């Protein structure tokens, strides 16, 4: 096996997947930027959740909003629901793993807030429960999925935004999700700061 060739193919596959997704994903990502920006301008917050690599993406996104992305600006209200080990383990122990995000949303979410729900398969039970809880709290949902969207696609309403990577390979979906998260951060900053280019 030639590792250089294999690594080169990974780079090329990732680049091709992202380029092929531009026309499909740019409109829902733009809509998500507007929803999130309006939420923040109206003193709302963004709650983010996911499992595994998607949990890391949720935390990455929250960090970019609370601290900063590429431009200086005031901190923005975002919380990753994946970080409090005491809350996660108490809910998982006393109830079930499927409720680790939904119970937090019921406690912290308010009408006008936005849930960023990330699931590469679109079938994670705790993400499905989180979306249901968000709707009960009159929150809008921005869902990042792949593989056709799975059960998440069935739960979303007309007020929600579905950003579904048009690919089946998990690694490529995650790479597209990271790019989408950076586009969201950049778009929010540009709208808030009045950046034209």
């Amino acid at each position: 096996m030639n590792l250089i060739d294999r690594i080169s193919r990974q780079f090329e596959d990732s680049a091709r997947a992202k380029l092929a997704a531009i026309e499909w994903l740019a409109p829902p990502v733009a809509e998500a930027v507007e929803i999130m920006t309006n939420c923040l301008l109206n003193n709302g917050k963004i709650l983010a959740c996911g499992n595994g690599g998607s949990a890391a993406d949720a935390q990455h996104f929250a960090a970019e909003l609370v601290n900063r992305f590429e431009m200086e600006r005031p901190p923005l209200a975002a919380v990753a629901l994946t970080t409090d080990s005491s809350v996660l383990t108490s809910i998982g122990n006393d109830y079930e793993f499927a409720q680790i995000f939904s119970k937090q949303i019921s406690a912290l979410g308010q009408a006008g807030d936005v849930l960023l729900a990330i699931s590469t398969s679109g079938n994670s039970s705790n993400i499905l429960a989180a979306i249901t809880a968000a709707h009960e709290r009159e929150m809008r949902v921005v869902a990042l999925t792949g593989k056709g969207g799975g059960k998440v696609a069935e739960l979303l309403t007309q007020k929600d935004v579905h950003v579904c990577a048009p690919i089946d390979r998990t690694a490529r979906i995650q790479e597209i999700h990271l790019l989408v998260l950076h586009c969201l951060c950049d778009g929010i900053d540009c709208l808030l700061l009045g950046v034209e280019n």
Side-chain angles (χ1 to χ4, degrees):
M1 174 194 345
N2 185 319
L3 280 176
I4 299 299
D5 287 347
R6 188 170 182 87
I7 291 164
S8 298
R9 281 197 307 274
Q10 294 281 346
F11 272 81
E12 291 164 359
D13 287 350
S14 182
R16 274 194 297 271
K18 290 171 185 159
L19 290 171
I22 292 172
E23 289 184 27
W24 180 261
L25 296 184
V29 172
E31 185 180 359
V33 166
E34 291 176 350
I35 287 170
M36 290 178 166
T37 303
N38 288 334
C39 164
L40 295 166
L41 287 171
N42 288 297
N43 296 316
K45 62 189 169 296
I46 300 170
L47 304 179
C49 60
N51 296 290
S54 299
D57 286 344
Q59 291 165 213
H60 180 165
F61 179 75
E64 302 287 24
L65 291 191
V66 172
N67 185 27
R68 71 177 189 87
F69 183 53
E70 294 184 324
M71 295 181 253
E72 292 298 333
R73 51 125 170 94
L76 302 174
V79 178
L81 303 178
T82 55
T83 59
D84 190 326
S85 60
S86 294
V87 168
L88 296 171
T89 55
S90 69
I91 295 169
N93 183 61
D94 294 348
Y95 296 92
E96 59 183 350
F97 186 73
Q99 295 186 44
I100 61 170
F101 301 135
S102 60
K103 286 185 76 76
Q104 292 185 76
I105 291 165
S106 295
L108 303 172
Q110 301 290 329
D113 289 347
V114 172
L115 172 66
L116 174 64
I118 310 171
S119 173
T120 56
S121 69
N123 292 318
S124 304
S125 59
N126 55 10
I127 296 298
L128 298 171
I131 292 170
T132 299
H135 287 154
E136 289 170 356
R137 301 296 289 174
E138 298 180 20
M139 297 169 58
R140 295 178 80 173
V141 176
V142 173
L144 272 59
T145 69
K147 302 182 182 182
K151 294 177 183 175
V152 165
E154 300 168 16
L155 277 184
L156 299 176
T157 70
Q158 298 249 337
K159 293 183 178 181
D160 301 324
V161 178
H162 190 192
V163 181
C164 181
I167 197 162
D168 288 331
R169 188 170 171 195
T170 299
R172 299 293 90 90
I173 294 167
Q174 290 174 328
E175 290 158 8
I176 289 171
H177 283 180
L178 180 56
L179 178 58
V180 167
L181 293 176
H182 285 166
C183 289
L184 292 172
C185 293
D186 176 72
I188 290 167
D189 282 0
C190 286
L191 289 182
L192 289 177
L193 298 174
V195 175
E196 292 297 324
N197 295 319

